Amino acid sequence: MSNPKKQHYVPQVYLNFFAEESGFLNIYDREKDEFRKQTPAKAGNSTHFYTVEVNGEKDYSIEKMLANHVEGIYKPVIRKIENKEYLTRKDKESLAVFIAFQHLRTPAQRKNYNHMVDSVYKKFSKIAFQMQKVHGQLEGLDDVEIESLGEIFENEKYDVKVPKEHSLEFMLSFSEKLSHMLLNHNFAIIKASSKSEFITSDNPYCMVKEKWSPPWSGHGVVNTTKIFPLTPRYLLILKDAGDKMVYMQLGKAEVREMNFTIASWSDRFLYSKNEFLLKSLIVKIKKKLIQSK
């Protein structure tokens, strides 16, 4: 395998399922509010997204690991789902691993990780500064400098730069635990009705909070229903703990609601096999936003 500069945070093997027969994806860019078409090879990627520096040289081992050990396990499971075959424990493990990595490898999750580190670091720094001030451990600083520093820490008037190596390390270390968590759910394979399709996004792992979940709680694994669009025809729902697997079908209106959820979890890009569906969905989303104001 070569050392590609353009590295997919949404794998090409996954995006291929959402491409038209012409080979192009229909894409909506939320940031630019525009539609365009691109091939899966040119979508869902970023320059050196996983590349790190080792002894002064670029290291592509994470990109190669994902390509060789994660992305290749997806297509065989999807083919079994399309044929409505029973998924073995091994098949479900493969799907759980793929989804866990897909959740952890996106720009959205890197931003979430960086935000978490930023928040924790600033809170710790604020406490540490106050303790040093109380115990007279700020020698060499006059009152003006101490007051200035205190204002900076108290009002968090600084940025914390988190090296991407930290978020990549988190992705690698947490992926096994997350895949085990996902595997221990009942698997519901949802098929879209003949006149509807599922879309996907650059952040396709969606979490809908359970009704019993407190309003102040975050979107964790335990207190949410997990939704993951597999292909335009199939979507996976992971909800209750167990080892059951069922096949179900949703009507057009229910599929649309799923697509609203998928769109709401996107970071920047939405992908669809159906151009008309994507454009009409965006119109409905914008209309909903106007009505909610």
Side-chain angles (χ1 to χ4, degrees):
M1 179 181 177
S2 60
N3 297 325
K5 295 180 180 179
K6 291 288 186 180
Q7 300 168 357
H8 282 79
Y9 48 79
V10 184
Q12 187 175 339
V13 68
Y14 175 72
L15 290 177
N16 283 340
F17 284 101
F18 293 87
E20 301 173 334
E21 290 184 8
S22 63
F24 285 88
L25 290 163
N26 294 289
I27 301 174
Y28 175 66
D29 185 334
R30 292 177 58 180
E31 187 176 293
K32 295 183 177 180
D33 189 22
E34 67 177 25
F35 294 91
R36 62 174 176 268
K37 290 179 182 285
Q38 276 184 306
T39 62
K42 294 184 178 180
N45 61 50
S46 182
T47 303
H48 290 303
F49 195 68
Y50 309 108
T51 306
V52 296
E53 293 281 337
V54 177
N55 297 324
E57 296 185 359
K58 287 183 171 58
D59 186 288
Y60 296 84
S61 57
I62 295 178
E63 164 71 5
K64 292 179 180 179
M65 181 279 294
L66 291 169
N68 295 331
H69 301 290
V70 176
E71 296 169 10
I73 62 181
Y74 189 68
K75 192 173 180 179
V77 180
I78 297 304
R79 292 307 179 210
K80 294 187 75 170
I81 290 173
E82 290 175 332
N83 294 326
K84 287 193 174 181
E85 296 179 37
Y86 177 79
L87 297 187
T88 65
R89 176 78 177 181
K90 182 64 177 176
D91 294 328
K92 292 166 75 175
E93 285 177 359
S94 295
L95 199 52
V97 167
F98 182 89
I99 293 173
F101 270 102
Q102 183 53 65
H103 174 52
L104 297 169
R105 70 192 289 182
T106 61
Q109 292 311 308
R110 182 172 293 182
K111 283 185 278 190
N112 286 344
Y113 177 84
N114 291 348
H115 176 74
M116 177 187 69
V117 173
D118 178 272
S119 178
V120 171
Y121 183 90
K122 285 178 177 177
K123 287 178 181 177
F124 176 81
S125 297
K126 192 182 300 183
I127 294 170
F129 176 79
Q130 290 300 328
M131 289 182 66
Q132 288 178 313
K133 183 178 178 181
V134 169
H135 294 287
Q137 296 174 343
L138 297 173
E139 296 91 348
L141 299 178
D142 59 34
D143 291 343
V144 174
E145 290 171 325
I146 291 174
E147 184 178 350
S148 177
L149 276 176
E151 184 181 350
I152 290 172
F153 285 119
E154 183 62 32
N155 298 314
E156 300 181 353
K157 294 181 177 179
Y158 61 98
D159 296 319
V160 177
K161 186 175 181 180
V162 185
K164 71 175 178 181
E165 286 82 359
H166 292 194
S167 61
L168 290 172
E169 183 180 0
F170 175 75
M171 177 189 75
L172 296 173
S173 63
F174 189 61
S175 58
E176 183 176 1
K177 184 176 181 180
L178 179 57
S179 64
H180 282 306
M181 291 177 180
L182 299 179
L183 181 62
N184 291 324
H185 284 75
N186 293 320
F187 278 49
I189 308 295
I190 310 299
K191 185 178 181 181
S193 64
S194 59
K195 296 183 179 180
S196 60
E197 289 183 359
F198 296 113
I199 64 167
T200 192
S201 80
D202 55 356
N203 189 37
Y205 177 81
C206 312
M207 293 176 281
V208 179
K209 290 173 70 171
E210 300 283 7
K211 291 181 180 180
W212 53 261
S213 181
W216 47 262
S217 66
H219 290 81
V221 174
V222 176
N223 66 329
T224 58
T225 295
K226 278 66 68 180
I227 297 171
F228 189 86
L230 299 168
T231 72
R233 303 298 300 157
Y234 291 96
L235 174 142
L236 175 68
I237 294 181
L238 305 174
K239 187 176 181 180
D240 301 320
D243 59 0
K244 297 177 182 177
M245 189 191 76
V246 296
Y247 281 92
M248 302 172 61
Q249 184 162 321
L250 292 183
K252 187 175 181 179
E254 295 166 308
V255 171
R256 184 168 59 246
E257 287 303 313
M258 287 291 179
N259 283 336
F260 282 146
T261 298
I262 294 165
S264 71
W265 274 86
S266 65
D267 183 45
R268 178 176 174 179
F269 301 110
L270 295 176
Y271 308 111
S272 176
K273 188 174 184 177
N274 187 313
E275 182 179 7
F276 175 78
L277 181 151
L278 183 61
K279 289 184 175 180
S280 63
L281 184 69
I282 297 305
V283 170
K284 289 183 175 68
I285 290 172
K286 288 181 178 180
K287 187 177 180 180
K288 268 191 169 186
L289 289 174
I290 293 172
Q291 291 174 343
S292 65
K293 289 181 179 179

